[in-house]
Amino acid sequence: MPAADGGTGQGDPAPQDPRAARTRARLRRALLDECARRPLSEVGVAALTRTAGVGRATFYVHYADLEALAVDACADVVRDAVDALHAWRGRPDPVSAPPALLAFFSGLTPHAALYRTLLTPGGGGPLGHVLHRDLRARSLAERELAGAADAPLVASAVAAAFAGVLADWLHGLIEAGPDEIAHQVWQLLVALHRSR
């Protein structure tokens, strides 16, 4: 699983090394291109490194395996989700999702198959763990800043509910269009915040 700095934490070059960042970006781009054509399970390291123009050994300097690369390549969806849920100020509209959350759900389609591979129903899987961790941390920080005594409880509930609903929707367990699910998720999370 990638470290917070975008690397794997396995002795890769310093996080600020521009060459390492460029290499990881090429590998992420190549993986997303490959996964747009075939499932992750059919992508091989040899073909991927050829597409990215890097050596196989270089791949393993940055990533333990293809799943670690895939999670890193999908890390933007996690950042986008966290940002979309916190893209409002003042008193939130309890019914209508903020525009950023609507845009988030609408923008998932191009790589939905890859997200389904990494985010299992119920919100598990490697991408689900990253999403839960990052969303819980952001929610916890904001609740603590507001002085809420129940910050850990609500932060955990928000992270689990969002990751679970997102995963179930991507897997077709919840029938709703992108806008509809965005509004439903928003209403659920507002209710969680107000329940304590």
Side-chain angles (χ1 to χ4, degrees):
M1 188 176 318
D5 60 21
T8 60
Q10 319 181 77
D12 53 331
Q16 302 305 318
D17 182 344
R19 290 173 300 159
R22 281 193 301 273
T23 298
R24 285 193 296 267
R26 286 176 24 206
L27 287 165
R28 288 191 300 265
R29 237 183 343 268
L31 181 84
L32 291 173
D33 289 347
E34 288 292 323
C35 287
R37 294 189 291 274
R38 65 181 62 88
L40 179 62
S41 60
E42 295 178 12
V43 175
V45 173
L48 181 77
T49 54
R50 273 195 305 276
T51 301
V54 302
R56 189 178 176 99
T58 301
F59 171 88
Y60 288 108
V61 167
H62 297 284
Y63 299 101
D65 53 27
L66 282 172
E67 184 179 275
L69 168 59
V71 172
D72 190 29
C74 294
D76 282 345
V77 79
V78 171
R79 284 188 288 274
D80 290 348
V82 172
D83 289 345
L85 287 173
H86 295 88
W88 57 274
R89 290 292 171 251
R91 194 167 190 82
D93 179 334
V95 177
S96 299
L101 190 59
L102 293 165
F104 167 76
F105 276 99
S106 296
L108 292 174
T109 305
H111 300 294
L114 180 57
Y115 301 147
R116 282 191 294 272
T117 300
L118 301 170
L119 185 62
T120 59
L127 191 60
H129 295 169
V130 174
L131 177 59
H132 186 279
R133 180 198 67 207
D134 290 0
L135 183 52
R136 185 183 187 283
R138 178 84 168 265
S139 295
L140 181 61
E142 292 202 1
R143 301 268 315 161
E144 287 176 340
L145 188 62
D150 59 355
L153 175 68
V154 173
S156 290
V158 164
F162 184 79
V165 170
L166 172 62
D168 287 357
W169 179 72
L170 283 169
H171 283 275
L173 301 175
I174 299 172
E175 292 185 20
D179 285 359
E180 184 182 0
I181 195 68
H183 291 306
Q184 290 173 346
V185 165
W186 182 250
Q187 292 162 17
L188 173 65
L189 298 181
V190 169
L192 278 173
H193 278 277
R194 291 182 170 173
S195 67
R196 298 284 299 165

